[in-house]
């Protein structure tokens, strides 16, 4: 089968021909129709991800048709159109993942291929209002944004949310989920064009985080109930000022820096703030997210769709942070 195989750090993503995966019981082989990139794929290519192993077929997001199953009793899955939950072996606790937890696409071969082997419990029937490209855009980013907003920050309708770096894949889902949940959403971005797009989608206001005085320009009266960040840029310390008393600041990535800046500790305890880490999501987070997508007939924000063979071009676009929403790869 054709697959994007990464053979070492900083090597380009190129098509190779490899053997189709062999199945065990409780597994399925999905013929991938579309896959999508995440910042994770970029970090792995750069060698900046834990547990690197080469060669590896990248890709955590995918949608397609079930082609084979590991045992006959599971035959009802064959021919079903599915999307894949890449959050594998989460475990029993809603509070945090188990030690066996891993993400599809490292160490287990991922979705940037004609076929991927996944556990049966990672399969979900594709929402009928979505194309394969739209369905493939959702899993990792949608799940991460879902858990950060709802399971961790406990966002309620009518609350005010700030989504930082709205052009990012996860951030574009945070914007959508929060809007559909009835929140008032403000955004930051490094590019005016992306703020304009967020406003078109329903955001109330936006500022450039590259502007030295960005905080003064986005201070709605009373502040924010929830702030979502995945960059930990220079502006992170401002969130302590911008949050309402009792506010929740959630982060799940560090695109712009390695660590948290110095924070005003007294303000954190005086304002009763919660600073929450979040990672991916549990099986019930994934199911709840899909129910929400079905109920509101949400379509993800897709920046562009590339043929699988152009995966390197797509990851370079991500490197330049040019995208608004998801970079999708069509597999045909
Ligand atoms: N813990 C987890 O489970 C988990 C899951 C998914 C992702 N992540 C991490 O979360 C981060 C985002 O992932 P992604 O897939 O959404 O990546 P992405 O699509 O590449 O988005 C990255 C975005 O970060 C924004 N950004 C860059 N510098 C910023 C700054 N100084 N302040 C605010 N925003 C800034 C940019 O937004 P603009 O384009 O609007 O400027 C950029 O588009 C990555 O670090 C990723 O590894 C973690």
């Amino acid at each position: 089968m054709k697959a994007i195989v990464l053979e070492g750090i900083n090597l380009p993503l190129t098509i190779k021909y490899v053997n189709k995966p062999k199945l065990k019981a409780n597994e399925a082989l999905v013929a991938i129709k579309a896959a999508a990139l995440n910042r994770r794929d970029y970090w792995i290519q750069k060698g900046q991800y834990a547990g690197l192993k080469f060669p590896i077929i990248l890709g955590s997001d995918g949608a397609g048709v079930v082609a084979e199953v590991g045992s006959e009793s599971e035959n009802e899955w064959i021919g079903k159109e599915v999307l894949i939950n890449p959050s594998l072996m989460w475990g029993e606790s809603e509070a945090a993942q188990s030690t066996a937890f891993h993400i599809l696409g490292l160490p287990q071969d991922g979705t940037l291929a004609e076929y991927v082997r996944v556990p049966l419990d990672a399969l979900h029937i594709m929402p009928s209002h979505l194309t394969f490209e739209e369905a493939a855009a959702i899993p990792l980013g949608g799940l991460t944004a879902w858990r950060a907003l709802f399971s961790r920050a406990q966002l309620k309708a009518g609350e005010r949310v700030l989504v930082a770096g709205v052009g990012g894949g996860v951030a574009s889902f945070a914007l959508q989920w929060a809007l559909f949940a009835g929140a008032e959403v403000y955004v930051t971005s490094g590019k005016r064009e992306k703020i304009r797009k967020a406003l078109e989608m329903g955001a109330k206001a936006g500022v450039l985080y590259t502007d030295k005085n960005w905080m003064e320009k986005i201070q709605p009266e009373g502040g924010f109930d929830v702030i979502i960040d995945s960059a930990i840029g220079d502006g992170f310390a401002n969130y302590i000022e911008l949050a309402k008393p009792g506010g929740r600041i959630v982060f799940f990535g560090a695109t712009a820096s390695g660590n948290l800046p110095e924070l005003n500790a007294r303000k954190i305890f005086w304002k009763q703030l919660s600073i929450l880490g979040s990672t991916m999501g549990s099986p019930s987070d994934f199911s709840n997210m899909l129910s929400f997508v079905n109920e509101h007939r949400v379509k993800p924000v897709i920046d562009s769709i590339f043929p699988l063979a152009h995966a390197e071009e797509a990851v370079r676009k991500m490197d330049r942070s040019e995208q608004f929403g998801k970079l999708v790869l069509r597999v045909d």
Side-chain angles (χ1 to χ4, degrees), residues 27-45:
E27 289 185 338
L29 190 71
V30 178
I32 292 289
K33 300 287 182 196
L37 288 182
N38 290 285
R39 192 48 82 154
R40 176 177 201 268
D41 304 304
Y42 163 86
W43 293 132
I44 295 170
Q45 187 188 37

Side-chain angles (χ1 to χ4, degrees), residues 37-43 48-49 90 97 101 103 140-145 147 163-173 187-191 194-195 208-210 214 228-236 239 251-257 277-281 317-327:
L37 288 182
N38 290 285
R39 192 48 82 154
R40 176 177 201 268
D41 304 304
Y42 163 86
W43 293 132
Q48 293 177 10
Y49 205 92
W90 177 275
Q97 65 275 35
F101 168 78
I103 301 170
L140 191 149
L143 177 65
T144 305
R147 182 171 175 85
V163 176
V166 72
V170 183
S172 67
F173 282 110
V187 301
T188 71
S189 178
K191 304 225 166 67
K194 297 186 184 186
I195 294 175
L208 291 170
Y209 56 70
T210 46
W214 70 266
I228 299 283
D229 183 277
S230 66
I232 314 187
D234 296 337
F236 193 94
Y239 299 156
F251 71 99
F252 46 82
T255 305
S257 71
S278 193
T279 277
M280 296 288 283
K317 186 168 189 184
M318 174 178 278
D319 189 6
R320 297 187 298 271
S321 278
E322 280 174 9
Q323 80 281 14
F324 182 84
K326 297 294 294 185
L327 298 162

